[in-house]
Amino acid sequence: MSGPITIRPLQQSDQPEWRRLWRGYLDYYETSLPNEVYETTFRRLLSSDHPNQNGLIALQDGGPVGLVHYIYHPHNWKIEDVCYLQDLYTDPAARGCGVARKLIEAVYGVADADGHPTVYWLTQDFNETARRLYDRVATLTPFIKYSR
């Protein structure tokens, strides 16, 4: 892959390729979800009824090569909402071309434009390749996640 990378909001026609990319993301984290979750998530990402749940897709050489999902939500320590970058994935064939960086920068851009300058995300400690990028585009925090 060598062409320019473009980032745009998800469209209805992206669903088959979005599904392929998101499945790759979930496979990486050894997670599988029922079809109903795929359908519901995609519908929410496109719905004006869910304006805080959003998705972007990266295109290169005429095809989708990456995706990012982000969610705006209130924060008790801030007046403005914050942005949680929930899912970020680059197709293995396009890795090393700057797709993930462009997707993160696109989220930064839309979050800033929407008045939500705080953007944060989580990754697993073993995700060393991604963390090398994250260390260049964000600040590592000392927080540890707990979940029920």
Side-chain angles (χ1 to χ4, degrees):
M1 308 226 118
S2 60
I5 300 163
T6 57
I7 310 295
R8 65 163 169 76
L10 281 171
Q11 300 172 357
Q12 186 64 46
S13 61
D14 294 324
Q15 187 170 18
E17 287 297 305
W18 168 85
R19 180 183 284 266
R20 176 185 66 80
L21 292 166
W22 201 36
R23 183 177 300 118
Y25 172 81
L26 295 171
D27 287 349
Y28 178 80
Y29 285 108
E30 300 177 353
T31 299
S32 63
L33 298 171
N35 187 55
E36 181 181 17
V37 174
Y38 280 89
E39 296 298 324
T40 300
T41 297
F42 191 76
R43 200 168 42 252
R44 286 177 181 166
L45 291 168
L46 296 181
S47 173
S48 60
D49 291 338
H50 294 272
N52 292 332
Q53 196 167 352
N54 301 279
L56 302 173
I57 195 160
L59 305 167
Q60 187 177 31
D61 295 335
V65 294
L67 63 75
V68 67
H69 302 146
Y70 60 98
I71 300 169
Y72 295 141
H73 66 87
H75 191 287
N76 289 339
W77 295 4
K78 298 182 180 289
I79 301 300
E80 70 279 356
D81 284 355
V82 298
C83 178
Y84 174 48
L85 190 158
Q86 186 171 29
D87 306 316
L88 175 67
Y89 182 74
T90 301
D91 187 294
R95 292 194 180 145
C97 298
V99 174
R101 177 187 283 271
K102 290 260 190 194
L103 286 164
I104 292 168
E105 289 171 349
V107 171
Y108 285 172
V110 294
D112 287 347
D114 290 341
H116 312 307
T118 300
V119 178
Y120 72 99
W121 62 92
L122 306 171
T123 195
Q124 291 185 322
D125 61 352
F126 63 77
N127 195 354
E128 294 173 7
T129 301
R131 290 183 64 191
R132 283 193 292 276
L133 168 63
Y134 302 162
D135 288 343
R136 291 192 303 271
V137 300
T139 302
L140 177 64
T141 70
F143 283 91
I144 297 169
K145 178 187 174 191
Y146 290 86
S147 184
R148 183 186 103 164

